[in-house]
Amino acid sequence: MISELFKILAILVVSATIAVLLNQYRPEYAVMIVAVTAVAVLVIVIKNVFPSIVKIRELIEKSGISSVYFATALKALGIAYISGFVADTCRDFGQTSLASKAELAGKCAVFVLSVPLMCTVLETALGFAGL
C-alpha cells in the first residue's frame, strides 16, 4: 500500500497543478480534472483496502464473534468517508453551506446506524444489573 500511496500522492499533485493552470483559461475543464482525479483515487484506494476488509471479516467469522458489529463499524466508516468526500467537493465548488449539510447528514446517518448497537449494549447492561 505504501507504493500505491506515493502513486496516489503523485497523481494528486499533478492533477492539482493541471487544475490550477487550467482554471485560469478553462475553469470547466479544471473542475472535470478534479472530479475525475477524485473518482480515480477513490477507486485505487478501495481496490487496495478491500483485501484487508475481507481478511478481517474472515477472522471475525472464524472467531465466532457476531459480524454485526464489524458490519456496523464498516458502514459507519463508509458513511464518514463518503460524506467527507462530498463535503470537500462542495467546498471545492465554493458551496460551504452545502458542505456543512453533507457533513451533518453523514453524522446523522452514523447516529441512526449506531442506535440498534447502543440499544443492544444498554439491554445487556440492564440485564447484568437485573433491571
Side-chain angles (χ1 to χ4, degrees):
M1 179 65 188
I2 298 300
S3 65
E4 292 291 323
L5 172 66
F6 290 121
K7 289 177 189 175
I8 290 168
L9 295 176
I11 290 169
L12 291 171
V13 169
V14 170
S15 296
T17 304
I18 292 170
V20 167
L21 293 174
L22 277 177
N23 198 34
Q24 298 172 0
Y25 307 105
R26 299 290 239 170
E28 63 275 7
Y29 289 153
V31 169
M32 286 192 290
I33 291 288
V34 169
V36 168
T37 302
V39 170
V41 167
L42 212 61
V43 168
I44 293 169
V45 168
I46 290 171
K47 183 185 84 169
N48 284 291
V49 170
F50 191 73
S52 298
I53 292 170
V54 170
K55 181 70 175 174
I56 292 171
R57 175 180 277 158
E58 289 171 358
L59 290 173
I60 287 174
E61 288 174 359
K62 285 181 184 178
S63 71
I65 299 172
S66 176
S67 63
V68 172
Y69 305 118
F70 177 67
T72 302
L74 203 55
K75 287 176 187 176
L77 185 64
I79 289 169
Y81 280 130
I82 290 169
S83 60
F85 177 76
V86 170
D88 288 341
T89 303
C90 289
R91 278 190 202 89
D92 287 344
F93 295 142
Q95 300 296 321
T96 55
S97 178
L98 293 178
S100 65
K101 302 312 181 272
E103 290 170 340
L104 176 65
K107 291 172 186 176
C108 290
V110 169
F111 173 74
V112 168
L113 180 68
S114 66
V115 167
L117 189 59
M118 289 187 293
C119 289
T120 302
V121 170
L122 286 173
E123 288 172 0
T124 303
L126 289 173
F128 284 138
L131 300 175

